Amino acid sequence: ADDMTHNIMAYSGDADAGVVHARVLAGLGDIRAAIQEQAPEAHDQMGSLALNPKQKEAAMRVLKAYRDGRMVGLTRKVTAAVRETALEKGDQSVLARKLAAVLTPNLSDMKQLHKEMFPGATEEFKLDLHDMPGLKSWNGEVQVDLGRRLSTDSSDVRAQAHTLFRGLERELGDAMPKAPARMLQVAATSSSSSTESTGEASFMDCITKAVPNPAAVCSCIADNMKDVVSMVMNFIQNKS
């Protein structure tokens, strides 16, 4: 809960840690209750998980990266590009170009963040934009609920819990049930459908539903960092 509190404060500028921490605890309590009701076996399985200090640190690695200055900067740039595209009533190709253009100066940071968040993961990035699931499965005008008030819900807590559950899956394998992360992927992006065989929404679909929630946008970036890097690399390659 402490890490989630610090992450929210890094984006919101809220100086009252006690209030934010209480909201995080309430949000986690709601998540726990929802898992118990909708996936009781997964709830029981999670209750018996045993992590050593190294596994716990690894599982929290991506969550701690939320408040990294580089990730904060990426999140703000992505959010601004989505807002601008929505106001212009642009489509996915417009958003893709805006994202690639504004993120080009951050290519090195993104590659380094990927290496730090997922040590040992392959660094082979896709160089054919049309093969990216985040683009080929998403079409239409960008629509964003710009008037949504984050203080009235716990979507920022759900997004971070989703990241934590994904981290536990990577560290514990089959010992960590998949149902909790799937439940929160839908909740975090307000999406009732999935576009990937893994249950993950595409990057483009994810960010348009995540804005204006910075924690959810951050989750989209972290989950799809390789696709984001690939998009920027394609943009640079096509310009040269």
Side-chain angles (χ1 to χ4, degrees):
D2 288 344
D3 279 306
M4 293 185 182
T5 298
H6 293 317
N7 289 344
I8 292 173
M9 294 178 68
Y11 288 96
S12 67
D14 194 330
D16 195 333
V19 171
V20 177
H21 191 261
R23 184 163 67 79
V24 168
L25 290 177
L28 291 175
D30 291 341
I31 291 170
R32 187 179 301 109
I35 295 173
Q36 186 172 23
E37 178 181 353
Q38 300 175 38
E41 291 185 3
H43 179 271
D44 293 342
Q45 189 174 347
M46 289 179 66
S48 61
L49 292 177
L51 285 80
N52 60 45
K54 185 176 180 179
Q55 288 175 317
K56 182 178 179 179
E57 180 182 356
M60 295 288 291
R61 186 181 293 117
V62 178
L63 189 63
K64 289 179 179 294
Y66 270 51
R67 59 185 180 274
D68 183 288
R70 295 164 297 176
M71 184 64 85
V72 172
L74 291 172
T75 298
R76 288 174 176 163
K77 284 190 172 186
V78 168
T79 299
V82 172
R83 285 177 175 272
E84 185 176 315
T85 304
L87 291 173
E88 294 175 357
K89 300 187 182 301
D91 60 14
Q92 58 106 359
S93 63
V94 173
L95 177 56
R97 287 194 298 272
K98 286 183 182 294
L99 288 170
V102 300
L103 295 178
T104 293
N106 302 95
L107 180 58
S108 295
D109 283 343
M110 289 188 292
K111 287 184 175 181
Q112 184 61 32
L113 275 169
H114 181 267
K115 183 183 298 185
E116 292 172 9
M117 292 190 298
F118 310 107
T122 175
E123 293 187 18
E124 295 180 1
F125 301 103
K126 301 170 185 174
L127 293 180
D128 184 354
L129 201 60
H130 297 290
D131 285 340
M132 289 175 58
L135 294 180
K136 72 179 183 180
S137 62
W138 190 87
N139 295 286
E141 181 181 310
V142 174
Q143 297 182 346
V144 181
D145 184 4
L146 297 176
R148 185 162 43 126
R149 294 177 59 84
L150 297 184
S151 59
T152 62
D153 61 28
S154 59
S155 55
D156 47 5
V157 179
R158 295 197 302 270
Q160 294 188 77
H162 170 260
T163 295
L164 176 59
F165 292 160
R166 289 294 306 279
L168 290 171
E169 288 178 12
R170 286 190 296 272
E171 292 306 310
L172 301 179
D174 293 338
M176 173 64 189
K178 304 297 188 292
R182 285 198 300 267
M183 289 170 55
L184 293 178
Q185 175 66 38
V186 173
T189 63
S190 301
S191 171
S192 59
S193 62
S194 64
T195 57
E196 294 292 283
S197 59
T198 59
E200 293 301 321
S202 71
F203 174 63
M204 304 293 279
D205 189 48
C206 186
I207 58 175
T208 56
K209 290 182 171 64
V211 171
N213 179 350
V217 173
C218 196
S219 177
C220 294
I221 296 172
D223 287 342
N224 299 278
M225 184 64 84
K226 288 188 69 173
D227 277 352
V228 182
V229 172
S230 296
M231 180 168 24
V232 174
M233 291 176 65
N234 272 278
F235 178 78
I236 296 172
Q237 181 176 324
N238 291 335
K239 283 187 66 178
S240 60

